[in-house]
């Protein structure tokens, strides 16, 4: 059974950095993709970034391009989201999710395409 556990959230300063981790168990890193999503109060869940297991292809939503970097460590079954140049508007609950069939490309990342979810981790960026 697939389990995803996020960690690394917390309070960050505007312009600062945080790194989120998503540890997966019961998941074969040789297929599918893992994505990061976020949801701020009163807003819809937004796709932030994803990485494909097959070839490492990535996707970033426009608002985080150049600031966030997604990476994976297959040996640790862990995907990371390095968040630099944080902004107050990055404040949200961040979730990682996995899907065995998804491939990350230029297509908008939709939470409805992912079927296994972690519990989420709060990121708060102060101005």
């Amino acid at each position: 059974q697939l389990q995803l556990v996020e960690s690394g959230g917390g309070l960050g300063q505007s312009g600062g950095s945080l790194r989120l981790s998503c540890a997966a168990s019961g998941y074969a890193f040789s297929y599918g993709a893992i994505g990061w999503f976020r949801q701020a109060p009163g807003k819809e869940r937004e796709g932030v970034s994803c990485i494909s297991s097959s070839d490492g292809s990535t996707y970033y939503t426009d608002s985080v391009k150049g600031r966030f970097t997604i990476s994976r460590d297959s040996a640790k079954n862990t995907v990371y989201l390095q968040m630099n140049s944080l902004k107050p508007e990055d404040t949200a609950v961040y979730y990682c999710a996995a899907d065995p069939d998804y491939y990350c490309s230029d297509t908008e990342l939709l939470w409805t395409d992912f079927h296994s979810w972690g519990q989420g981790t709060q990121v708060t960026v102060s101005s």
Side-chain angles (χ1 to χ4, degrees):
Q1 183 177 355
L2 175 64
Q3 287 189 322
L4 301 171
V5 179
E6 302 98 333
S7 61
L11 180 63
Q13 298 269 357
S14 183
S17 299
L18 286 172
R19 188 178 79 159
L20 305 182
S21 299
C22 174
S25 60
Y27 179 75
F29 258 45
S30 61
Y31 70 95
I34 287 187
W36 284 99
F37 299 79
R38 65 186 180 186
Q39 189 164 20
K43 294 189 176 181
E44 288 193 6
R45 190 165 296 190
E46 173 190 25
V48 176
S49 181
C50 72
I51 187 165
S52 299
S53 300
S54 58
D55 61 4
S57 64
T58 58
Y59 165 91
Y60 297 94
T61 192
D62 285 346
S63 62
V64 308
K65 284 180 180 177
R67 301 189 299 122
F68 290 9
T69 302
I70 192 169
S71 63
R72 60 180 180 166
D73 184 334
S74 297
K76 296 182 178 179
N77 275 9
T78 299
V79 170
Y80 303 97
L81 186 68
Q82 178 67 44
M83 305 187 296
N84 298 330
S85 302
L86 287 167
K87 302 176 180 180
E89 51 263 44
D90 294 321
T91 296
V93 177
Y94 283 71
Y95 301 89
C96 69
D99 189 85
D101 300 316
Y102 196 81
Y103 181 78
C104 304
S105 64
D106 293 337
T107 304
E108 182 182 4
L109 188 63
L110 300 176
W111 67 270
T112 50
D113 288 331
F114 284 70
H115 300 91
S116 297
W117 290 83
Q119 81 288 352
T121 185
Q122 177 71 47
V123 171
T124 303
V125 182
S126 62
S127 56

